[in-house]
Amino acid sequence: MTSPRESPVRVGVFGLLGSGNLGNDGSLEAVLGYLRADHPEAVVDALCGGPEVVAARYGIPATRLHWYRGEYRTASRAGAIAGKGLGKLVDVFRTAAWVRRHGVVIVPGMGVLEATLPLRPWGFPYSLFLLCASGRLLGTRVALVGVGAGPIADRPTRALVRWSARLAAYRSYRDAQSRDAMRKMGVRTARDKVYPDLAFALPTPPPGTPPGTPGPVCVGVMDFHGGNDDRDRAEEIHRRYLDGTTRFVRALVEEGRPVRLLTGDACDRSVVTAILDAVDSPLVTAAETASLADLMKEMAAADAVVATRYHNLVCALKAGVPTLALSYAAKSDALMAQMGLGAYCHSAREVDADRLLEQFRALEGRSAELRRTLTERNQAAAGRLAHQFTALTTALFPAADHSHALREAP
């Protein structure tokens, strides 16, 4: 708490928040919960992708991340290209001015140091670099908290990500391979810690159905076209993913199983529509979800979950439901292994419906055992995240008489 003579700490949160991705918003929600519980005196606002959504949903002031409103639309006309170019220059000064007003800026979770999905260097990597460089130049502590990282082949993107991490005052990661990836990029990570994903700090949903009552199979889908290095094969990868997932859903329906389709981003709705049209059965329904809490509530009522998006997996595991991952990146495999379900991963790039059904039946055969395992792993995750928030307080909110200076990350 601040003394009467001290001004409240101004804390900024930064990222593609309020932009339709439930995982990003769930990470924000976890950090806001920590700030409100441990630092209620902090004055919080956001620089983010969807300021209207963030302000309405979380009750904090929010500013648009980019000056140019068409930032994430493909620029083909001369006017749009000029607008984007001017926007990059204007954002240098906008970002610095916003950072200057804060004592602390937190980047809450998210895969901000990876390129597992299509990504251009002058999009979010550039924005993150501006943030971290402004923080270092202006004396504002920038914290990358529980973030994901991975190998990046594209040189400009890799350089921006590497320098962003180097310039941050605090770093922690959501898995060991993220820390290893940054170390291989030349970032000194000896003092960086690994903790569970921030979404594991969100409230656990109550059981959705009474014991012994059959529930649906939740299938979390994704508008998946491969990663940053798969642009030449994007449509082929998407077609194979959609065809395999549709065949799997149809097979469940033929067995009389109700299926609940879930998404994790607004762009996933096209996949839901395609599956509903292809299967055309009253046993297949789609859920409307606006948050990770909504996702967890749906999943808590399920017998089992098959999901693609990383935070769909986190929600299913957090809800304690046997889960099979349609994995599109090593982060999903690592998460499943951490939670004791490493054997239940299937490549999203090569969805084989018959093989997926075999894995699903094996998963259901161990349902009671896996639910006990998940209870134990969730308890351990909660303890680790308590340590994360304690470490964050020590690093970012030192007491006035605290003799330990915040470390400077090289």
Side-chain angles (χ1 to χ4, degrees):
M1 300 291 289
T2 57
S3 72
R5 292 176 297 175
E6 294 175 332
S7 298
V9 177
R10 292 188 61 90
V11 179
V13 289
F14 177 94
L16 294 178
L17 310 165
S19 301
N21 185 286
L22 301 187
N24 292 359
D25 291 355
S27 299
L28 169 62
E29 187 176 342
V31 165
L32 291 177
Y34 150 71
L35 290 172
R36 287 165 178 164
D38 292 9
H39 303 282
E41 75 286 356
V43 178
V44 183
D45 72 308
L47 185 63
C48 59
E52 298 87 359
V53 172
V54 168
R57 184 175 295 167
Y58 302 109
I60 60 174
T63 303
R64 186 173 300 280
L65 180 59
H66 302 289
W67 175 79
Y68 181 62
R69 289 177 176 265
E71 175 62 33
Y72 292 106
R73 294 195 295 267
T74 301
S76 55
R77 296 183 178 180
I81 293 171
K84 276 198 172 186
L86 177 60
K88 298 304 176 189
L89 179 61
V90 173
D91 284 344
V92 173
F93 301 98
R94 290 179 72 252
T95 303
W98 182 81
V99 169
R100 184 190 291 274
R101 298 197 297 268
H102 299 83
V104 171
V105 174
I106 295 174
V107 180
M110 306 177 286
V112 297
L113 303 177
E114 64 182 44
T116 52
L117 297 176
L119 184 70
R120 298 295 188 189
W122 305 115
F124 187 77
Y126 175 74
S127 300
L128 183 66
F129 171 75
L130 291 183
L131 172 79
C132 295
S134 296
R136 178 58 67 95
L137 288 170
L138 299 171
T140 298
R141 291 162 288 193
V142 174
L144 309 180
V145 181
V147 298
I152 299 174
D154 181 71
R155 288 186 177 182
T157 303
R158 186 170 65 245
L160 287 166
V161 163
R162 179 173 61 247
W163 277 106
S164 296
R166 284 176 170 175
L167 292 169
Y170 175 90
R171 298 180 297 263
S172 64
Y173 305 96
R174 64 189 180 191
D175 50 49
Q177 66 185 24
S178 292
R179 181 173 60 184
D180 290 345
M182 297 315 298
R183 177 180 53 79
K184 291 175 182 176
M185 283 190 209
V187 178
R188 295 180 182 177
T189 61
R191 299 176 69 179
D192 298 351
K193 302 297 184 183
V194 173
Y195 300 99
D197 188 88
L198 288 170
F200 281 104
L202 296 174
T204 302
T209 56
T213 303
V217 177
C218 283
V219 178
V221 300
M222 179 178 179
D223 186 24
F224 180 61
H225 292 77
N228 214 41
D229 300 328
D230 299 318
R231 293 179 184 272
D232 292 342
R233 303 175 50 234
E235 288 309 313
E236 174 194 346
I237 289 171
H238 179 68
R239 184 175 62 254
R240 187 172 297 171
Y241 169 80
L242 181 58
D243 289 350
T245 305
T246 301
R247 285 186 60 208
F248 174 70
V249 170
R250 184 179 290 115
L252 291 176
V253 168
E254 289 172 353
E255 295 176 358
R257 303 290 295 271
V259 176
R260 191 77 162 150
L261 299 177
L262 305 174
T263 61
D265 194 294
C267 67
D268 300 333
R269 291 170 189 158
S270 62
V271 178
V272 169
T273 299
I275 293 174
L276 289 173
D277 289 345
V279 178
D280 191 21
S281 166
L283 287 175
V284 185
T285 56
E288 294 290 334
T289 54
S291 67
L292 292 192
D294 291 345
L295 275 176
M296 282 191 269
K297 183 178 179 181
E298 292 281 348
M299 291 171 169
D303 284 349
V305 174
V306 178
T308 309
R309 282 198 179 272
Y310 180 83
H311 278 100
N312 273 206
L313 295 173
V314 170
C315 286
L317 298 167
K318 169 76 173 171
V321 179
T323 302
L324 199 161
L326 286 174
S327 174
Y328 66 87
K331 63 183 178 182
S332 299
D333 298 340
L335 172 65
M336 295 292 284
Q338 289 167 12
M339 298 302 288
L341 280 79
Y344 301 103
C345 295
H346 188 103
S347 173
R349 286 176 171 78
E350 303 284 345
V351 179
D352 180 329
D354 294 333
R355 173 62 182 145
L356 186 58
L357 273 169
E358 289 179 12
Q359 289 180 287
F360 179 76
R361 288 172 180 139
L363 176 82
E364 288 207 305
R366 296 180 59 202
S367 178
E369 174 192 349
L370 294 175
R371 285 178 182 270
R372 290 192 295 270
T373 297
L374 288 172
T375 297
E376 296 170 359
R377 299 296 172 97
N378 276 308
Q379 289 172 347
R384 289 287 295 150
L385 279 170
H387 286 295
Q388 161 71 101
F389 293 135
T390 298
L392 201 56
T393 291
T394 300
L396 301 183
F397 303 94
D401 60 349
H402 203 291
S403 61
H404 174 66
L406 175 73
R407 72 168 176 84
E408 292 292 335

